[in-house]
Amino acid sequence: MRVPSNLKKGQADFNMTPMIDVVFLLIIFFLVSSHLAKQESQMPLPLPTAESGQEIIDDQQPKVVVNIAADGSLTLAGHRVPPSGLRERLQVERERSGEQLEVRIRCDRETPYANVKPVMLAATEAGIWNVAFSVIRPEDAAR
């Protein structure tokens, strides 16, 4: 049996090019995904004020942000979603993220409850019980 010539030297060479390519792709993926996550929570909406709101400390929990405009249109992950298709989208996110998924509702302060209720029902039907509202403090609203 013939021994390959590169093993006679006692060194094994690794080709680092594929690993470097994968690392660069992962860096690009995380940069893009973090940018999209910031975009959906920074959508310009005049949030309602609340005296009893608490700052969220544990931001490591997986969450989905649903934006509700004053006209009742829903935006999930930067895309408009019809109210009828919201439950299916939330179920997919729950299956992907696990049982501890949080739905954070950001709505315009002029949005009537009739536009918020379908979002809460869709979350319940998708098996998501952790629903929170994004609000601002009254003193921050004055600024």
Side-chain angles (χ1 to χ4, degrees):
M1 180 167 160
R2 193 162 183 226
V3 178
S5 63
N6 63 348
L7 291 180
K8 291 178 184 177
K9 297 176 188 174
Q11 286 184 343
D13 292 327
F14 291 105
N15 188 358
M16 296 297 289
T17 306
M19 188 164 71
I20 292 171
D21 289 343
V22 169
V23 169
F24 281 133
L25 286 174
L26 285 173
I27 290 171
I28 291 170
F29 170 76
F30 286 119
L31 286 174
V32 170
S33 63
S34 69
H35 178 68
L36 290 176
K38 287 179 186 175
Q39 261 185 339
E40 76 179 9
S41 64
Q42 292 177 351
M43 185 175 158
L45 282 175
L47 297 175
T49 59
E51 294 285 336
S52 62
Q54 296 177 350
E55 257 186 76
I56 301 205
I57 297 168
D58 179 23
D59 205 21
Q60 300 299 321
Q61 183 175 5
K63 68 177 174 278
V64 174
V65 179
V66 179
N67 292 302
I68 307 172
D71 62 355
S73 61
L74 303 176
T75 307
L76 176 68
H79 301 288
R80 285 192 150 202
V81 178
S84 59
L86 184 61
R87 182 180 61 83
E88 290 83 17
R89 292 282 306 270
L90 289 176
Q91 276 183 324
V92 168
E93 289 295 323
R94 183 177 157 260
E95 290 169 2
R96 191 182 70 158
S97 300
E99 295 291 323
Q100 299 299 320
L101 181 66
E102 174 190 352
V103 172
R104 191 165 301 164
I105 299 174
R106 294 183 73 241
C107 62
D108 190 291
R109 68 177 60 144
E110 302 297 323
T111 302
Y113 178 71
N115 293 341
V116 177
K117 182 179 176 182
V119 176
M120 295 172 65
L121 287 174
T124 303
E125 291 170 356
I128 302 170
W129 301 102
N130 189 1
V131 178
F133 288 91
S134 292
V135 296
I136 56 174
R137 295 184 186 109
E139 60 267 13
D140 293 338
R143 292 180 196 171

